[in-house]
Amino acid sequence: MKQLWLFNQINSDLQRVEKELHAYIKTDFPILDQSAVQLLEAGGKRLRPAFTLLAGKFYGYPIDRLLPVAMALELIHMATLVHDDVVDASMTRRGRPTVKAKWGNVVSIATGDYLLAKALELLAQINHPEVSKILAEVSVEMSQGEIQQIKASNDVNQNLKQYYYRIKRKTAMLISASCKLGALVSSAPRREVWALGAYGHALGMAFQIVDDVLDVTAEASELGKPVGGDIRQGIMTLPLILALHQSGERERLHGLLAKPEKDDDDVREAIKMIKDSGAIADSMHYVDLYISKANSYLQELPNVPTRKALVDLAYFVKERKF
Amino acid sequence: MKQLWLFNQINSDLQRVEKELHAYIKTDFPILDQSAVQLLEAGGKRLRPAFTLLAGKFYGYPIDRLLPVAMALELIHMATLVHDDVVDASMTRRGRPTVKAKWGNVVSIATGDYLLAKALELLAQINHPEVSKILAEVSVEMSQGEIQQIKASNDVNQNLKQYYYRIKRKTAMLISASCKLGALVSSAPRREVWALGAYGHALGMAFQIVDDVLDVTAEASELGKPVGGDIRQGIMTLPLILALHQSGERERLHGLLAKPEKDDDDVREAIKMIKDSGAIADSMHYVDLYISKANSYLQELPNVPTRKALVDLAYFVKERKF
């Protein structure tokens, strides 16, 4: 797993989350075990557990209550990833073949169902009605986001409202829940539970926009998956939507993005037009707005070192290259 | 929905389950709404809600507590059906095209995720730790059964142990939970909660064996899906496993079942050999054993008219043609 220096405060506990997840998802079924472990080991930034732990830091850090919540969040995240890879037909993620690529759709479905069931099992153990309620609501919204993504796929004429609707469900709501639940199980004051949730929501929106920008601007080696994947798959992201409005070669770009099958040259040409249109800088401007918004909610929280870490984390979201 | 006269005692409440499920799964997404409603309207026997309500009948029938549990069970069942149809590549179910056939794998995945998330939401509302715990455990086992089915697919050399392992997870555990939870939320004595769970488990095993027999013996018009589907898909069921042991044309049958692609003539010939081998009668003998076992657990329960209904239901499972 990629270690972020920002997580210094919680590094050893993040490793504990990792270790306990390994033990928790263990099963006697070789395929299921391998696919779940592959997902876990492909890693990622463990952003959701990190947010839960960091939120708990404000309120006495009751690690025994934070740990299972952090695990449940990562399980839900993993379950959505493995199903999303089927929906998006993604073959690589974080530099490794996806479960879909390695074992096919059918194993991906079963693996996602298994991880979700394990999350449900953990929630039953946590036995905190409000935690269950919040994660259930987020799960419902996330599945609706999944459907919206299917429906919107290859629909070039999307507007910003549809885009925001989707990334809210795809990313922001679970990150928001991660922050909120860390505070909730640490018995934070209501107003601060809310503020951490609002911080997480704004940060999650920024995070997803950066993700969508990186899909256009990054190097494949840094990204761990092919660049231009969204373009290829007909997923209309913010830089694409903005470029379609402001590119001097608007019609040509529209034609390229509307092609049902795009070859490498199409993708390369589209990327160039998007970059030339100024849509990247404009997208990053929206990121700035969300990050300012995120940080403003932190004013509601006690002024402890963790607050500074959350501010840094917000800026890191903007600067990240992976 | 097909109404069973056996459910007379609870018919109006089963209709209420139906109506409330309709309202509960309603969403603004046309595709999701249509696919979820199609699944719901394809109906089936609403066996799981019926068992929950019937179990509650023994203990004062607290309908307000029984209803959401019955709904959660049907939602979990529907979620597994729609994902199973992808796993099994099934194109028709109960005489209608499956969600997979109509909208494809991707919508099927999202629809299943949505229904599972709605079940999770309902469980958070029910807020009964033991209900959540039992359904979480069943969900974990069901997803492992899914994987085992994938793994075992086209493996002709399966034994009975593998078969029982699979149908326990595919069917028996959720039916067992349906009975058990109806008793549990009606504050039944522990011993009777257990007995109803044991009844449901044995009955669920019988139910699935009958299902697997009907796949060989039924008429497509009664079954609502093509006959011989399991043979075609390489799913080794009890009649197939028994026939492979006792058919006089064992090697020819083995060769047919092992073919990766089977045409209609192959399926027809295999069905004839299975019937000729006596495997159908032998399979039904196992059904009888499970039904006797199911009914024996009912002795632990109060002798009220519902007990007679459950006995009748067990015999109905054997006699059913659909």
Side-chain angles (χ1 to χ4, degrees):
Chain A
M1 129 176 132
K2 278 176 178 155
Q3 284 291 358
L4 292 181
W5 59 267
L6 275 164
F7 292 166
N8 277 344
Q9 286 196 52
I10 51 164
N11 258 346
S12 62
D13 287 322
L14 267 185
Q15 276 162 21
R16 217 176 127 194
V17 168
E18 188 96 2
K19 214 178 125 203
E20 300 216 357
L21 274 174
H22 250 286
Y24 193 64
I25 63 173
K26 185 101 202 91
T27 131
D28 291 337
F29 288 88
I31 304 174
L32 188 57
D33 200 54
Q34 286 161 31
S35 70
V37 167
Q38 150 119 357
L39 253 175
L40 183 62
E41 289 183 349
K45 294 169 274 297
R46 307 286 181 233
L47 217 53
R48 290 146 198 87
F51 277 122
T52 302
L53 297 181
L54 285 171
K57 277 278 177 196
F58 286 89
Y59 312 102
Y61 201 58
I63 184 67
D64 292 342
R65 271 182 279 155
L66 291 165
L67 212 61
V69 172
M71 288 169 66
L73 282 156
E74 190 68 10
L75 286 171
I76 292 175
H77 175 57
M78 287 166 66
T80 60
L81 283 188
V82 68
H83 282 179
D84 278 354
D85 283 341
V86 178
V87 172
D88 301 342
S90 304
M91 302 314 264
T92 50
R93 183 184 281 280
R94 297 179 192 134
R96 299 184 185 218
T98 56
V99 172
K100 175 198 160 57
K102 218 159 158 181
W103 291 280
N105 287 352
V106 160
V107 170
S108 300
I109 294 175
T111 303
D113 290 348
Y114 170 69
L115 293 170
L116 215 55
K118 291 298 279 184
L120 192 61
E121 195 183 66
L122 206 47
L123 286 174
Q125 282 170 32
I126 293 169
N127 190 15
H128 187 309
E130 211 173 341
V131 172
S132 297
K133 184 168 169 280
I134 289 170
L135 284 179
E137 284 169 3
V138 172
S139 301
V140 170
E141 295 292 334
M142 286 177 92
S143 66
Q144 293 182 333
E146 232 177 296
I147 281 282
Q148 212 260 12
Q149 173 139 341
I150 298 166
K151 199 184 132 211
S153 169
N154 286 316
D155 171 10
V156 180
N157 302 310
Q158 269 174 76
N159 57 32
L160 285 182
K161 195 178 156 197
Q162 288 166 297
Y163 172 73
Y164 285 125
Y165 180 97
R166 201 167 64 234
I167 67 168
K168 175 179 168 181
R169 279 153 190 82
K170 183 191 176 102
T171 306
M173 291 186 85
L174 196 61
I175 291 184
S176 172
S178 306
C179 296
K180 205 195 260 177
L181 294 182
L184 189 69
V185 299
S186 306
S187 312
R190 279 284 137 183
R191 169 133 203 105
E192 300 179 18
V193 173
W194 174 85
L196 274 159
Y199 163 85
H201 190 277
L203 198 65
M205 296 295 281
F207 185 87
Q208 187 58 48
I209 297 175
V210 171
D211 228 51
D212 294 341
V213 166
L214 286 173
D215 191 68
V216 177
T217 62
E219 299 298 325
S221 59
E222 284 182 316
L223 203 56
K225 58 184 178 185
V227 175
D230 294 332
I231 297 170
R232 210 176 302 262
Q233 289 161 39
I235 301 172
M236 291 298 290
T237 60
L238 185 59
L240 277 59
I241 295 172
L242 294 179
L244 274 176
H245 278 92
Q246 61 203 44
S247 168
E249 301 162 288
R250 187 174 312 134
E251 276 174 35
R252 170 89 188 134
L253 180 60
H254 192 285
L256 277 176
L257 295 177
K259 277 173 103 168
E261 299 286 335
K262 301 161 190 93
D263 61 26
D264 287 350
D265 284 341
D266 295 334
V267 173
R268 242 189 311 267
E269 191 184 345
I271 287 179
K272 186 172 182 310
M273 284 180 197
I274 295 163
K275 286 180 175 168
D276 289 349
S277 76
I280 299 300
D282 288 349
S283 298
M284 291 310 288
H285 176 65
Y286 285 99
V287 171
D288 284 336
L289 289 179
Y290 273 117
I291 286 176
S292 304
K293 202 171 161 190
N295 284 339
S296 72
Y297 293 118
L298 295 177
Q299 300 311 315
E300 308 262 353
L301 302 178
N303 191 4
V304 296
T306 306
R307 195 169 89 172
K308 177 70 173 54
L310 291 184
V311 173
D312 289 348
L313 196 48
Y315 289 118
F316 166 76
V317 159
K318 184 184 166 182
E319 304 302 335
R320 75 198 178 89
K321 294 273 177 289
F322 57 88
Chain B
M1 120 176 138
K2 278 176 178 157
Q3 284 291 359
L4 291 180
W5 58 268
L6 274 165
F7 293 164
N8 277 344
Q9 287 195 51
I10 50 163
N11 258 346
S12 62
D13 287 322
L14 268 185
Q15 277 162 21
R16 215 176 128 194
V17 169
E18 188 96 2
K19 215 178 125 201
E20 300 216 358
L21 274 174
H22 250 286
Y24 193 64
I25 62 174
K26 185 100 203 90
T27 130
D28 291 338
F29 288 89
I31 304 174
L32 187 58
D33 200 54
Q34 286 161 30
S35 70
V37 166
Q38 150 118 354
L39 254 175
L40 183 64
E41 289 183 349
K45 294 169 276 293
R46 307 288 180 230
L47 217 51
R48 291 148 198 87
F51 278 123
T52 302
L53 297 181
L54 285 171
K57 276 279 177 195
F58 286 89
Y59 312 102
Y61 202 59
I63 185 67
D64 291 341
R65 270 182 280 156
L66 291 164
L67 212 61
V69 172
M71 287 168 65
L73 283 156
E74 190 67 12
L75 285 172
I76 291 175
H77 175 57
M78 287 165 66
T80 60
L81 283 188
V82 68
H83 282 179
D84 278 353
D85 283 341
V86 178
V87 172
D88 301 341
S90 304
M91 302 313 266
T92 50
R93 183 182 281 279
R94 297 179 192 133
R96 301 183 183 217
T98 56
V99 171
K100 176 198 160 55
K102 218 159 157 181
W103 290 280
N105 287 351
V106 161
V107 170
S108 301
I109 294 174
T111 304
D113 291 348
Y114 170 69
L115 293 170
L116 215 54
K118 291 298 279 183
L120 191 63
E121 194 183 66
L122 206 46
L123 286 173
Q125 282 169 33
I126 292 168
N127 191 15
H128 188 308
E130 212 173 341
V131 172
S132 296
K133 184 167 170 282
I134 290 169
L135 285 179
E137 283 168 4
V138 172
S139 300
V140 170
E141 294 293 333
M142 288 176 90
S143 66
Q144 293 182 333
E146 230 177 297
I147 281 281
Q148 212 260 13
Q149 173 138 340
I150 296 167
K151 197 183 134 210
S153 168
N154 287 315
D155 171 10
V156 179
N157 302 309
Q158 268 173 77
N159 57 30
L160 286 181
K161 195 178 154 197
Q162 289 167 296
Y163 172 73
Y164 285 125
Y165 180 96
R166 201 168 63 233
I167 67 169
K168 176 177 167 184
R169 279 154 188 82
K170 184 191 174 99
T171 306
M173 291 186 83
L174 196 61
I175 291 184
S176 172
S178 306
C179 296
K180 203 194 261 177
L181 294 182
L184 188 70
V185 299
S186 307
S187 312
R190 280 284 136 183
R191 170 131 204 107
E192 300 179 19
V193 172
W194 174 85
L196 274 160
Y199 163 84
H201 190 276
L203 198 67
M205 296 295 281
F207 184 88
Q208 186 58 49
I209 297 175
V210 171
D211 227 51
D212 294 341
V213 165
L214 287 173
D215 190 67
V216 177
T217 62
E219 299 296 326
S221 59
E222 284 182 315
L223 203 56
K225 58 185 178 185
V227 175
D230 293 332
I231 298 171
R232 209 176 301 261
Q233 288 160 39
I235 301 172
M236 291 299 291
T237 61
L238 185 59
L240 278 59
I241 294 171
L242 295 179
L244 275 177
H245 279 92
Q246 61 203 45
S247 168
E249 302 162 287
R250 188 175 311 136
E251 277 174 35
R252 168 91 187 131
L253 180 59
H254 192 285
L256 276 176
L257 295 177
K259 278 173 101 166
E261 298 285 335
K262 303 164 188 91
D263 62 26
D264 287 350
D265 284 341
D266 295 333
V267 173
R268 242 190 310 269
E269 193 185 346
I271 287 179
K272 186 169 181 316
M273 285 180 195
I274 295 163
K275 285 180 176 167
D276 289 349
S277 76
I280 299 301
D282 288 349
S283 298
M284 291 310 287
H285 177 63
Y286 286 99
V287 171
D288 284 336
L289 290 178
Y290 274 117
I291 286 175
S292 304
K293 201 171 162 191
N295 284 339
S296 73
Y297 293 116
L298 295 178
Q299 301 309 314
E300 308 262 356
L301 302 179
N303 191 4
V304 295
T306 305
R307 196 169 88 172
K308 178 70 172 58
L310 290 184
V311 173
D312 290 347
L313 194 49
Y315 289 117
F316 166 77
V317 159
K318 184 184 167 183
E319 305 302 334
R320 74 198 180 89
K321 294 273 177 288
F322 58 88

